[in-house]
């Protein structure tokens, strides 16, 4: 059972195999995640899904066009997030000359990425409140992530503000939503914006057909880079990829099916990714009953350098997951 065209393409038109899984549409509070369930009993250590390596996005497999873009970045500002975003953008906006693999897989991967519904908090401006509120959605430049500059501390010092007013207001709201300290929430937002700006200019040219919004071509490309960063951060994992144990290296990746899994909460994840040659396997870590949700542990996902957030703040900001959606969470 599948819940979207993108999932249909993966499960029906590629060699991805997941015979014991069913998919339902994500609930609003799940922010594009969840809804992957066992359609029948799955035993511990059983392979839940077989995912061809050609369908995943991984930094160790970055195509030439992605590497050419990131090489333009300041070496001190280069990050795994920039590397993975570049690979994602090339897959989302492919050029025939870049497609060295299976064309059908490339098209399926493009449709899969296009179907990513949400990213971290405020990928969608609706997270910032009503349209008419002061320093809310109407004052955002594209998205919250792309609002502001590295010089905002100096620009707004005369107004006794530590940063752009929209970001400052958002930090206060984020703290209230997660029960964190205002400075901690604001610092996390500022770090996310800083990382975005470090890669923005280098990745602009990878956006072949920017989304249809009101703005210049450059602005629309920049906003698409911001959206991809937010969605990649919400889906990324680490994975050992290589031809053998000696060649295996940790890579940052986004893996079909796995990226859709719900957060396990206090119950602990019931699945793990394992590399096996030309495939990546999703394996059950324990017995899973029919109808049970397949989960992963978001706390084990890669984080931005200098990011020390945890708990509800990290879950909401990086993954867009509000406390109400966390399984096993206490009041």
């Amino acid at each position: 059972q599948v819940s979207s065209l993108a999932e249909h393409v993966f499960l029906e038109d590629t060699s991805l195999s997941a015979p014991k899984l069913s998919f339902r549409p994500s609930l609003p509070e799940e922010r594009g995640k969840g809804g992957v369930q066992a359609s029948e009993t799955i035993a511990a250590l059983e392979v839940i899904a077989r995912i061809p390596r050609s369908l995943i996005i991984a930094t160790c497999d970055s195509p030439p066009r992605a590497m050419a873009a990131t090489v333009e970045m300041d070496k001190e500002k280069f990050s795994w997030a920039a590397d993975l975003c570049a690979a994602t953008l090339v897959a989302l906006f492919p050029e025939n000359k870049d497609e060295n693999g299976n064309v059908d897989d490339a098209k399926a991967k493009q449709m899969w990425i296009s179907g990513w519904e949400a990213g971290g908090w405020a990928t969608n401006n609706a997270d910032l409140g009503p349209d008419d509120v002061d320093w809310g959605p109407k004052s955002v430049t594209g998205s919250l992530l792309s609002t502001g500059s590295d010089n905002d501390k100096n620009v707004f010092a005369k107004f006794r503000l530590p940063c752009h007013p929209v970001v400052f207001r958002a930090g206060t709201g984020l703290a209230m939503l997660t029960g964190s300290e205002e400075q901690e929430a604001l610092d996390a937002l500022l770090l996310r914006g800083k990382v975005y700006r470090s890669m923005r200019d280098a990745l602009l040219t990878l956006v072949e057909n920017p989304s249809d919004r009101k703005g210049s071509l450059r602005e629309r490309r920049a906003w698409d880079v911001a959206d991809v960063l937010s969605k990649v951060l919400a889906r990324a994992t680490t994975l050992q990829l290589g031809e053998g144990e000696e060649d295996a290296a940790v890579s940052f990746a986004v893996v079909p099916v796995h990226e859709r899994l719900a957060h396990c909460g206090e119950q602990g994840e019931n699945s793990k990714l394992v590399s096996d040659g030309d495939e990546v396997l999703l394996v059950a870590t324990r017995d899973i009953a029919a109808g049970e949700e397949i989960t992963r542990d978001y706390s084990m996902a890669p984080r931005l350098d200098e990011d020390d957030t945890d708990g509800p703040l990290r879950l909401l900001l990086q993954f867009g997951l509000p406390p109400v959606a966390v399984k096993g969470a206490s009041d």
Side-chain angles (χ1 to χ4, degrees):
Q1 301 176 8
V2 294
S3 62
S4 72
L5 178 59
E7 281 152 5
H8 172 80
V9 168
F10 264 92
L11 298 178
E12 301 295 332
D13 297 345
T14 72
S15 54
L16 190 155
S17 174
K20 291 188 177 182
L21 294 185
S22 64
F23 296 78
R24 64 159 172 77
S26 296
L27 302 175
E29 64 269 21
E30 291 175 321
R31 308 296 289 268
K33 307 292 184 58
V36 182
Q37 299 172 322
S39 57
E40 54 186 281
T41 301
I42 298 173
L45 302 183
E46 184 176 349
V47 175
I48 303 172
R50 293 181 175 274
I51 303 138
R53 183 164 168 176
S54 60
L55 292 178
I56 76 170
I57 306 167
T59 53
C60 65
D61 295 332
S62 288
R65 197 153 54 99
M67 291 189 288
T70 54
V71 79
E72 297 298 322
M73 291 181 60
D74 186 327
K75 291 182 179 180
E76 295 182 357
K77 295 180 179 179
F78 179 80
S79 64
W80 68 265
D83 205 5
L84 193 54
C85 282
T88 301
L89 286 167
V90 169
L92 183 59
F93 303 105
E95 291 183 345
N96 290 332
K97 63 183 180 181
D98 289 329
E99 293 175 359
N100 299 317
N102 186 294
V103 174
D104 290 337
D105 282 354
K107 290 180 179 178
K109 187 186 293 188
Q110 182 184 31
M111 180 171 286
W112 164 51
I113 298 169
S114 299
W116 291 354
E117 294 181 19
W121 186 71
T123 304
N124 187 317
N125 292 338
D127 287 346
L128 300 177
D131 290 337
D132 59 349
V133 71
D134 290 338
W135 302 115
K138 67 180 180 181
S139 302
V140 163
T141 307
S143 71
L144 179 65
L145 184 53
S146 57
T147 298
S149 72
D150 290 334
N151 196 40
D152 281 348
K153 186 174 182 179
N154 295 326
V155 172
F156 294 102
K158 60 184 177 181
F159 302 108
R160 298 184 180 180
L161 288 173
C163 60
H164 194 289
V166 171
V167 180
F168 181 72
R169 176 183 176 276
T172 301
L174 183 60
M176 292 177 63
L177 289 170
T178 59
S180 57
E181 296 294 329
E182 288 190 13
Q183 190 60 53
E184 181 185 18
L186 181 59
D187 287 345
L189 282 176
L190 292 174
L191 173 63
R192 193 174 65 161
K194 178 181 177 182
V195 171
Y196 158 68
R197 289 187 291 275
S198 72
M199 69 178 72
R200 176 191 59 202
D201 293 347
L203 303 192
L204 285 178
T205 58
L206 299 179
V207 183
E208 295 288 334
N209 300 297
S211 57
D212 186 15
R213 331 186 205 189
K214 188 177 181 179
S216 67
L217 178 61
R218 187 185 189 284
E219 287 173 331
R220 289 185 290 126
R221 282 176 167 165
W223 299 337
D224 282 355
V225 171
D227 288 351
V228 164
L229 171 59
S230 185
K231 292 176 180 180
V232 162
L233 289 176
R235 290 165 171 79
T237 188
T238 53
L239 186 63
Q240 281 200 317
L241 293 171
E243 298 301 324
E245 291 187 7
E246 294 183 358
D247 297 327
V250 174
S251 181
F252 298 93
V254 183
V255 181
V257 178
H258 179 266
E259 58 85 15
R260 169 76 185 269
L261 299 183
H263 178 48
C264 62
E266 298 174 357
Q267 300 171 349
E269 63 186 4
N270 58 18
S271 68
K272 285 277 191 183
L273 287 174
V274 179
S275 178
D276 183 24
D278 292 333
E279 292 183 319
V280 173
L281 310 179
L282 183 65
V283 180
T285 59
R286 59 170 173 79
D287 292 342
I288 302 173
E292 185 176 348
E293 189 100 351
I294 311 300
T295 62
R296 70 183 182 105
D297 189 350
Y298 288 14
S299 69
M300 300 300 292
R303 60 172 74 227
L304 297 175
D305 293 343
E306 301 180 35
D307 174 21
D308 57 4
T309 59
D310 208 350
L313 176 57
R314 186 184 181 205
L315 288 174
L316 182 56
L317 182 58
Q318 182 170 341
F319 305 97
L321 193 67
V324 68
V326 179
K327 299 181 184 303
S330 61
D331 293 336

